[in-house]
Amino acid sequence: MILELDCGNSFVKWRVISTGDGLVASEGIATQAIDLIQDLLDRNIGKITRCRLVSVRSDTETASIVGVLSESLKVSVATARPVERFAGVVNGYRNQQRLGLDRWLAILAAYDLRKAACLIIDLGTAITVDLVADDGVHLGGYITPGIALLRGQLVDHTRRIRYDEAEAALALSDVAPGRSTAEAVERGCLIMVRSYLSSQISSARRQLGNDFAVYVTGGDAAIAADLPGVRYMPDLVFRGLAIACP
């Protein structure tokens, strides 16, 4: 069994796949590496023989996670790193080491799927948008706050915007003009994000031409999954991790 981990800003997403056929045997989300280990034991998945990891956390945090995994599972942990060129893709950053690893892996996976121009959108704590040309050259991208950060900024910097999670969930049943604070904020943030993504898809034609694929991934990918021409790929980063650490 192979354990794969995507250590994001907020959570550690993980899955265990079969060494032979690559089918997902189990998956989950943890806040700490030790919780993940306990979850694996509780599920009685079987022996983990290999482990690969991508992390956007600090070097210290990542080293701590790797240490816990190595000690608990008695396996070496392969950690993805950004490079100048790999699997037909050219890293578009001036300083290749500064490109976020989750972005790099999503780019590798998207280009591997199509071997042609593509736009990659990852909706997580931040929203990242990356453009890859037909020849595999990464043209760069954009980073903006995710929908939770947009909402959080309003709550943190205004005195009277207060509502609970139940109100927030109900508010998103429609996008009509809000008739409560929860509806106004939730629907406003949703429309802002969707409008931004539609604009990015439209403007990408100037860089990529009319024939390109749009891949969407990340925890908030459902926000954009129904936009015209979008392909929802929830495991895009894991696919890239398997390419970078085969």
Side-chain angles (χ1 to χ4, degrees):
M1 293 290 193
I2 302 173
L3 173 63
E4 299 180 323
L5 301 97
D6 177 4
C7 306
N9 292 296
S10 303
F11 301 101
V12 177
K13 290 174 285 186
W14 63 269
R15 71 180 189 179
V16 175
I17 62 173
S18 170
T19 306
D21 53 24
L23 294 178
V24 178
S26 190
E27 59 188 342
I29 296 176
T31 54
Q32 304 290 335
I34 195 66
D35 298 329
L36 185 157
I37 298 299
Q38 188 59 54
D39 208 359
L40 290 173
L41 293 174
D42 291 343
R43 299 191 192 194
N44 194 27
I45 293 169
K47 182 171 177 54
I48 303 296
T49 57
R50 295 173 57 200
C51 180
R52 52 194 177 214
L53 173 151
V54 55
S55 175
V56 298
R57 301 188 179 191
S58 70
D59 291 343
T60 301
E61 288 180 285
T62 301
S64 176
I65 293 171
V66 169
V68 170
L69 294 171
S70 299
E71 176 65 24
S72 301
L73 301 176
K74 308 302 181 187
V75 294
S76 61
V77 181
T79 305
R81 292 279 185 268
V83 293
E84 182 178 352
R85 183 188 299 265
F86 193 78
V89 179
V90 179
N91 190 322
Y93 260 32
R94 296 185 186 93
N95 180 350
Q96 288 84 18
Q97 297 302 313
R98 297 291 294 172
L99 178 63
L101 275 167
D102 51 346
R103 290 171 66 192
W104 176 239
L105 296 184
I107 289 167
L108 290 180
Y111 190 74
D112 183 69
L113 284 167
R114 192 164 187 264
K115 295 293 192 296
C118 49
L119 183 72
I120 303 100
I121 300 171
D122 191 334
L123 291 105
T125 303
I127 296 171
T128 62
V129 178
D130 286 285
L131 298 89
V132 181
D134 263 329
D135 58 1
V137 175
H138 173 225
L139 302 178
Y142 304 91
I143 304 174
T144 59
I147 194 165
L149 285 178
L150 290 174
R151 182 192 302 122
Q153 286 295 303
L154 280 172
V155 172
D156 290 345
H157 295 283
T158 55
R159 294 178 182 273
R160 300 181 66 85
I161 293 183
R162 297 291 184 272
Y163 54 90
D164 59 30
E165 291 184 8
E167 288 181 282
L170 287 172
L172 291 175
S173 61
D174 194 359
V175 290
R179 301 184 66 184
S180 69
T181 298
E183 290 178 354
V185 171
E186 293 296 322
R187 295 173 187 180
C189 289
L190 176 62
I191 290 170
M192 179 179 285
V193 169
R194 285 176 60 87
S195 296
Y196 168 70
L197 297 177
S198 294
S199 173
Q200 285 288 350
I201 293 169
S202 179
S203 65
R205 294 187 180 94
R206 293 196 296 270
Q207 298 282 341
L208 303 177
N210 291 319
D211 184 18
F212 63 93
V214 182
Y215 297 106
V216 174
T217 192
D220 289 329
I223 292 171
D226 65 335
L227 291 176
V230 162
R231 304 181 191 185
Y232 174 45
M233 301 290 296
D235 64 343
L236 199 60
V237 172
F238 281 133
R239 285 172 177 259
L241 181 59
I243 294 169
C245 304

